[in-house]
Amino acid sequence: MSSEKRVYAFGRGVNGVNRTEGNRGMKMILGGKGANLAEMANMGLPVPPGFTISCQACMEYYNSTPPALPAGLPEDIAEYVTELETKMGKRLGDSSDPLLVSVRSGSPFSMPGMMDTVLNLGLNDVSIQGLIAQTGNVRFAWDSYRRFIQMFSKVVLDVEGLEFENAITSMKNARGAQSDTDLSADDLEQLVATFKDIVAEHVEADAFPELVGADGRVAFPQDSSTQLRLAIEAVFRSWMNDRAVVYRKMEKIPDDLGTAVNVQSMVFGNKGETSATGVAFTRNPADGTKEYYGDFLTNAQGEDVVAGIRNTSPLHDLPAVFPEAGAELWQIFETLEQHYRDMCDIEFTIEQGKLWMLQTRVGKRTARAALRVAIDMVGEGLITKEEAVLRIDPAQLDQLLHPQFDPTADYDVIAKGLNASPGAAVGEVVFSSADAVDAKAAGRKVILVRWETTPDDLRGMVAAQGILTSHGGKTSHAAVVARGMGKPCVCGAEKLKIDAASKVARVAGSGVELHEGDMISIDGTTGIVVLGAVQLVEPKVTGDFDTVLGWADEYRRLGVRANADTPDDAELGRKFGAEGIGLARTEHMFLGDRKQIVQDMIIAEDEAGRLAPLAQLLKVQTEDFLGILAAMDGLPVTVRLLDPPLHEFLDSPRDLAVEVAKLECTGADPALLASKKKLLALVDSMHEQNPMLGLRGCRLGIMFPEIYGMQVRAITLAACQLKKAGRDPRAEIMIPLVSVVAELETLRAESEKIVAEVQSEQGCVFDIPIGTMIELPRAALTADEIAKVADFFSFGTNDLTQTTFGFSRDDIEAMFLPRYLERKILPRNPFETIDSGVAKLVKMACELGRETNPKIHLGVCGEHGGDPDSVKIFHAIGLSYVSCSPYRVPLARLAAAQAALAEKIAGSDNR
Ligand code: ADP
Ligand code: MG
Ligand code: MG
């Protein structure tokens, strides 16, 4: 035995010995599957015994070149195999009563179906006879052997699964069999021979020298310890397979955790009609209803249920078919929920009437189900309100805000399937993952239509708006993965006859055909499929949503505001619980039909020439602010004065040059030509090398005081009008891109003068706070000086990130950021989750600001305000509020509550 402990036993043997070395707390060592198998064994549940090889051993495997099992591990494995053989009273590869095992992957974080598993290991030409003798079931034995060769060859020896599928299909055709269960023992024995030939033909001798026989040909391995070693290495290798790597990236799971390997004695759901296998949830994972949920298949093994090979039966029919095992399973569901204090998912197998538990974990669920389950469990006294709030994943709430079919829309349903993952989606039909990826890259929206998805479809699922399958139940691959991604999914729409090779799907009994590129709509909440694009509408939030967010509001300290530029957005933000507007941008108000006025203003040669366009703008801006302030009546509205470089409002010089050249050629309209030339010259003269570091923000206010003056006047006018109408407008003026205090001093003085002027004209005096954005490092570094003349700071963390790193966001996100993330030069995209260096500047600026102005109000208005991880950091820094897009307001409320609760828990731990 090596000094390092790498192998852990679990389970009670037929000899009555229960030696279990792990528990659920050991996920980082045993992986989720191994830790929970150990936990169930500790609880006394019926778990087939086995042992788990640690995730650390997997990383050791990768750390040698070429990858190899670490020294000592083969001996440890041999020792645990012997112990398992003793527990079971059988031996691997034995000719009279062989022990068979599964070799299962399982990492610290669940990665459903991403890695590999081999079943029925230990069968060979000799032990098959033992299996026949022991079970008296010839058909079962040959079926197990052919499954083993098939899985082993695919997973370990890298033989295309299709080779075997084709062999099965031709056998079925030859026998006129409908399903694989119609094949006889003889047929299966013959398939085993065919499968071995496939192996001999497709496996390279160089790749697997240990499989080369005396005749120089590759043969399927007969020695069970060779089988076991190769399978263990293959499971380790599956940690780095393509789809696992993609999945980890998507789920932000680190690459250096490794997978454990669980070697577990086999139980058989394929021993005839008294046997079955199934997948279950203790509650409905789609909507959270307290009911047992899942699918099972009689006379089937493991993967059959999720692979959609045959149609499954709903779990609630189980007790009718298997009264004893059914009753025991229901009892176990209760035990597991009490023990884990959460909804669990389960894999089980019934072997000749006897129930076995093969897996459990806290079950994945939709956001809707997460809320329902949490609220119910508080009601049941299983968890506290705090735990309920801590349990909901803020990022997942997004799902609930997904669009739905417009209830007033007219549409024809062409097919109906299972409502596997909620939300509606519209897009063009594509039949392959690769096509989905290409279409997405070309900017098209697609629905991925598949017979059933496999882990190889992952990239396509990520690229698609929604997923539609014709096969598989609510626990099929498509359903589980789509729910995890929060993507709409309809599965098992059986009327759809898909011919993926010729890119067409026929809807049985209707004459409707779907071709690649046809528009369809799916509704994952109801399971319907519609030809054509259905109008989507924004969702109404449910009572559960409000209940949990209401609880969150009781615990959070951080305020949450919305970023909104229109009355509609302001209202939406308010509906989602925003306590004001943290950022009302004014540049959008300068576009559309107003662009011409703005151009006239910019082109004007002097202040006098700017007066007329400014007067026009004043009128429309006042209307804008009236709308927004009215929608946010009684709550603060922080209006940012004009920020972007002016050239954004002008025509592109390239287009202008083309126009000038055309006019010169045709000589059509000399007056027009002259004015275009003048415009071009002006635009050229305004050209900047780095416009984002140029004439923008408060620098505009200094250069063109009348623009900011107009905006301040409009804000004050709108507020006065509302005040006089008995409303409660709470406008705040925010000056962007300040780097030296003198900028703010100057602009503040000018603004205050105008505010006072307008208020006295209007005969109505009230306070309009004036503050600044902190979005340049110099501002953060001199925040103590700036705070003396600011009523508030709002951290513009987008620009602050750009200027702290010296990154131009639009450029780097397309160019080198992906590489930086891949090579782990940056841990995360700093524009999504606030970077630690930028956070340090924010923290410092807060401290400096409070030193000279204890009353200063501090918020964040960058996109980071809607990122749960960043919200936690802002909470820790002690900001007063975050402001984010209206749809992210609920998520920020929840994340803020979780930050406060986490702090409370940490505090009580310290005592
Ligand atoms: P995954 O992580 O992809 O679900 P699993 O390791 O859970 O892979 O195994 C795949 C399938 O094989 C599951 O349905 C599982 O229940 C079944 N299975 C695994 N080990 C055994 C075993 N020892 N006996 C019977 N079925 C098993
Ligand atoms: Mg599993
Ligand atoms: Mg900015």
Side-chain angles (χ1 to χ4, degrees):
M1 170 72 84
S2 60
S3 57
E4 197 107 23
K5 184 160 178 62
R6 300 188 179 101
V7 190
Y8 298 77
F10 62 83
R12 174 188 298 275
V14 289
N15 62 0
V17 173
N18 181 3
R19 194 167 86 94
T20 298
E21 298 176 286
N23 60 56
R24 83 197 251 209
M26 294 166 69
K27 267 190 200 155
M28 300 311 282
I29 300 169
L30 304 177
K33 199 179 288 169
N36 286 319
L37 282 169
E39 187 77 6
M40 286 198 291
N42 287 331
M43 289 166 73
L45 300 183
V47 176
F51 57 86
T52 305
I53 304 167
S54 71
C55 301
Q56 287 67 35
C58 174
M59 292 324 290
E60 288 181 86
Y61 170 79
Y62 281 111
N63 286 341
S64 43
T65 345
L69 298 185
L73 182 58
E75 291 78 9
D76 293 348
I77 293 172
E79 194 179 300
Y80 275 80
V81 167
T82 307
E83 180 190 340
L84 182 60
E85 288 176 335
T86 312
K87 266 186 180 171
M88 300 306 291
K90 296 172 190 245
R91 292 204 350 266
L92 268 183
D94 193 71
S95 60
S96 57
D97 186 11
L99 171 67
L100 302 189
V101 294
S102 60
V103 180
R104 318 173 63 186
S105 54
S107 67
F109 297 99
S110 145
M111 298 171 49
M114 296 303 141
M115 292 178 299
D116 290 324
T117 286
V118 177
L119 301 180
N120 306 335
L121 189 138
L123 279 171
N124 57 32
D125 296 348
V126 176
S127 62
I128 173 96
Q129 296 307 331
L131 191 62
I132 293 172
Q134 283 298 322
T135 61
N137 189 337
V138 190
R139 189 192 179 282
F140 154 75
W142 286 108
D143 186 45
S144 304
Y145 196 14
R146 72 95 189 155
R147 285 171 188 266
F148 171 50
I149 299 179
Q150 195 175 346
M151 254 186 149
F152 188 92
S153 304
K154 185 168 183 242
V155 169
V156 183
L157 307 177
D158 248 351
V159 183
E160 277 282 344
L162 202 63
E163 297 290 336
F164 301 103
E165 294 299 340
N166 288 343
I168 297 175
T169 308
S170 26
M171 177 64 83
K172 283 201 292 198
N173 290 344
R175 299 289 181 266
Q178 285 294 316
S179 146
D180 52 344
T181 50
D182 300 333
L183 294 176
S184 71
D186 284 345
D187 297 339
L188 293 165
E189 182 173 357
Q190 217 174 304
L191 269 181
V192 165
T194 313
F195 281 12
K196 285 193 204 154
D197 289 341
I198 294 175
V199 171
E201 194 179 325
H202 285 86
V203 177
E204 298 289 332
D206 296 355
F208 295 95
E210 56 269 75
L211 304 191
V212 180
D215 59 355
R217 289 192 68 204
V218 168
F220 188 81
Q222 293 291 316
D223 173 49
S224 40
S225 58
T226 306
Q227 293 176 350
L228 184 60
R229 183 177 51 80
L230 289 176
I232 290 169
E233 290 189 30
V235 169
F236 281 163
R237 280 200 302 277
S238 72
W239 174 251
M240 279 303 185
N241 74 30
D242 210 32
R243 55 184 199 247
V245 172
V246 173
Y247 185 85
R248 283 200 294 276
K249 194 174 278 176
M250 187 173 78
E251 297 286 314
K252 304 201 167 84
I253 300 173
D255 282 327
D256 61 359
L257 299 177
T259 179
V261 180
N262 301 284
V263 176
Q264 186 174 30
S265 44
M266 284 298 302
V267 290
F268 299 97
N270 56 334
K271 274 193 181 169
E273 295 305 308
T274 57
S275 302
T277 183
V279 180
F281 289 81
T282 57
R283 305 194 184 207
N284 185 321
D287 66 13
T289 307
K290 191 166 163 44
E291 64 184 359
Y292 304 144
Y293 181 97
D295 310 287
F296 73 97
L297 260 180
T298 43
N299 196 13
Q301 195 171 58
E303 308 279 61
D304 297 358
V305 186
V306 282
I309 288 171
R310 276 185 279 145
N311 279 333
T312 53
S313 311
L315 189 70
H316 54 77
D317 290 349
L318 189 78
V321 193
F322 299 94
E324 235 168 86
E328 190 181 355
L329 187 62
W330 280 193
Q331 186 50 53
I332 287 177
F333 284 166
E334 295 306 316
T335 310
L336 284 174
E337 276 212 348
Q338 290 297 323
H339 187 78
Y340 284 87
R341 300 169 67 243
D342 206 339
M343 183 247 266
C344 295
D345 80 15
I346 283 151
E347 285 174 8
F348 66 93
T349 282
I350 299 170
E351 179 177 328
Q352 296 181 313
K354 160 101 183 86
L355 175 71
W356 292 100
M357 300 298 292
L358 289 171
Q359 191 172 327
T360 193
R361 65 190 158 203
V362 168
K364 295 210 170 170
R365 63 205 78 181
T366 62
R368 185 161 152 220
L371 294 172
R372 181 77 268 161
V373 168
I375 291 171
D376 282 350
M377 286 190 171
V378 170
E380 291 158 27
L382 207 54
I383 60 172
T384 63
K385 258 166 47 177
E386 275 105 329
E387 283 173 303
V389 167
L390 281 168
R391 232 176 227 193
I392 312 288
D393 173 9
Q396 219 196 1
L397 282 185
D398 228 20
Q399 272 183 27
L400 292 175
L401 310 172
H402 276 182
Q404 324 262 294
F405 282 178
D406 179 351
T408 65
D410 244 352
Y411 48 78
D412 286 324
V413 176
I414 53 166
K416 199 162 181 338
L418 301 170
N419 51 336
S421 179
V426 178
E428 297 172 24
V429 171
V430 290
F431 292 101
S432 78
S433 180
D435 289 339
V437 171
D438 292 347
K440 162 93 192 258
R444 284 158 38 222
K445 295 188 166 174
V446 296
I447 307 284
L448 180 61
V449 181
R450 302 284 285 157
W451 189 71
E452 158 60 323
T453 58
T454 69
D456 292 331
D457 289 322
L458 196 67
R459 284 172 194 273
M461 296 175 78
V462 173
Q465 302 295 115
I467 295 118
L468 169 62
T469 71
S470 61
H471 236 78
K474 288 197 204 175
T475 50
S476 65
H477 179 267
V480 173
V481 175
R483 278 200 294 272
M485 293 180 184
K487 286 233 159 139
C489 173
V490 173
C491 67
E494 292 176 15
K495 267 170 70 184
L496 231 53
K497 305 296 169 200
I498 300 171
D499 181 352
S502 32
K503 301 193 172 180
V504 59
R506 294 178 185 83
V507 184
S510 76
V512 175
E513 281 192 0
L514 297 176
H515 296 271
E516 190 181 52
D518 288 351
M519 270 291 178
I520 59 167
S521 308
I522 61 170
D523 184 346
T525 318
T526 57
I528 61 179
V529 183
V530 174
L531 186 60
V534 178
Q535 182 68 41
L536 300 184
V537 294
E538 295 310 331
K540 286 206 177 52
V541 295
T542 63
D544 287 350
F545 184 87
D546 287 335
T547 303
V548 171
L549 284 170
W551 292 345
D553 291 345
E554 291 173 27
Y555 305 121
R556 72 184 159 93
R557 190 175 68 213
L558 206 55
V560 178
R561 296 192 192 178
N563 292 348
D565 312 338
T566 65
D568 282 351
D569 274 357
E571 247 160 58
L572 193 65
R574 207 168 180 159
K575 196 177 89 190
F576 287 144
E579 300 154 298
I581 293 181
L583 174 62
R585 299 178 183 87
T586 51
E587 48 269 23
H588 298 127
M589 302 168 182
F590 280 29
L591 296 172
D593 48 3
R594 301 171 183 181
K595 195 166 159 185
Q596 190 55 54
I597 315 175
V598 178
Q599 285 191 358
D600 293 346
M601 171 184 81
I602 299 172
I603 292 164
E605 264 148 35
D606 49 23
E607 212 185 312
R610 281 196 274 274
L611 280 180
L614 276 169
Q616 272 175 293
L617 279 175
L618 175 65
K619 204 165 145 254
V620 289
Q621 282 260 273
T622 309
E623 296 295 323
D624 295 331
F625 297 136
L626 272 173
I628 293 177
L629 288 170
M632 272 289 161
D633 197 52
L635 295 173
V637 174
T638 308
V639 181
R640 177 177 72 185
L641 302 186
L642 195 65
D643 181 52
L646 289 184
H647 73 84
E648 288 193 7
F649 304 102
L650 295 173
D651 297 328
S652 108
R654 202 181 292 174
D655 293 350
L656 273 173
V658 170
E659 267 189 85
V660 166
K662 273 191 189 156
L663 286 167
E664 275 172 343
C665 282
T666 57
D669 184 343
L672 186 63
L673 175 62
S675 83
K676 290 283 176 190
K677 271 186 155 166
K678 194 171 150 198
L679 188 58
L680 178 58
L682 179 89
V683 173
D684 279 342
S685 75
M686 289 174 66
H687 172 79
E688 294 176 285
Q689 293 296 344
N690 284 309
M692 298 316 283
L693 300 178
L695 179 55
R696 55 171 291 222
C698 66
R699 304 161 194 174
L700 282 174
I702 306 271
M703 292 291 287
F704 307 104
E706 54 290 359
I707 300 180
Y708 271 21
M710 175 279 291
Q711 289 196 300
V712 171
R713 187 172 296 275
I715 294 166
T716 316
L717 260 176
C720 286
Q721 284 184 24
L722 287 169
K723 262 264 165 4
K724 287 196 278 189
R727 310 287 296 272
D728 183 14
R730 304 259 176 106
E732 303 180 343
I733 292 169
M734 177 152 78
I735 295 174
L737 215 75
V738 163
S739 54
V740 278
V741 64
E743 287 169 328
L744 185 61
E745 269 166 356
T746 306
L747 293 170
R748 180 177 185 120
E750 287 171 11
S751 301
E752 276 175 338
K753 196 165 142 240
I754 294 170
V755 170
E757 238 171 65
V758 176
Q759 291 194 341
S760 82
E761 275 163 32
Q762 297 290 316
C764 139
V765 177
F766 56 95
D767 186 40
I768 297 188
I770 298 176
T772 180
M773 291 191 70
I774 302 287
E775 50 189 338
L776 293 172
R778 193 183 189 287
L781 295 167
T782 57
D784 47 350
E785 297 167 26
I786 296 175
K788 288 185 197 155
V789 286
D791 297 319
F792 61 86
F793 284 168
S794 178
F795 291 90
T797 50
N798 298 345
D799 267 321
L800 191 57
T801 302
Q802 294 204 95
T803 52
T804 300
F805 276 97
F807 279 166
S808 158
R809 175 178 185 168
D810 294 341
D811 297 329
I812 70 138
E813 283 192 339
M815 280 168 47
F816 63 81
L817 186 63
R819 198 61 196 280
Y820 264 50
L821 296 175
E822 216 169 89
R823 301 194 57 188
K824 307 214 157 45
I825 289 173
L826 282 173
R828 315 193 46 174
N829 180 346
F831 293 101
E832 275 168 17
T833 298
I834 191 94
D835 161 73
S836 58
V838 179
K840 222 174 193 173
L841 276 177
V842 173
K843 182 164 187 265
M844 187 177 79
C846 288
E847 286 162 4
L848 287 174
R850 282 198 179 114
E851 266 172 31
T852 55
N853 180 357
K855 284 197 309 218
I856 194 159
H857 205 63
L858 303 165
V860 166
C861 65
E863 274 165 73
H864 299 99
D867 169 66
D869 292 336
S870 307
V871 168
K872 288 173 190 169
I873 295 169
F874 296 140
H875 168 92
I877 291 176
L879 290 165
S880 337
Y881 70 88
V882 292
S883 188
C884 53
S885 85
Y887 283 106
R888 298 189 83 82
V889 165
L891 169 168
R893 287 162 67 195
L894 185 59
Q898 292 182 347
L901 287 171
E903 194 179 73
K904 190 168 136 189
I905 293 166
S908 61
D909 281 354
N910 288 340
R911 273 199 302 263

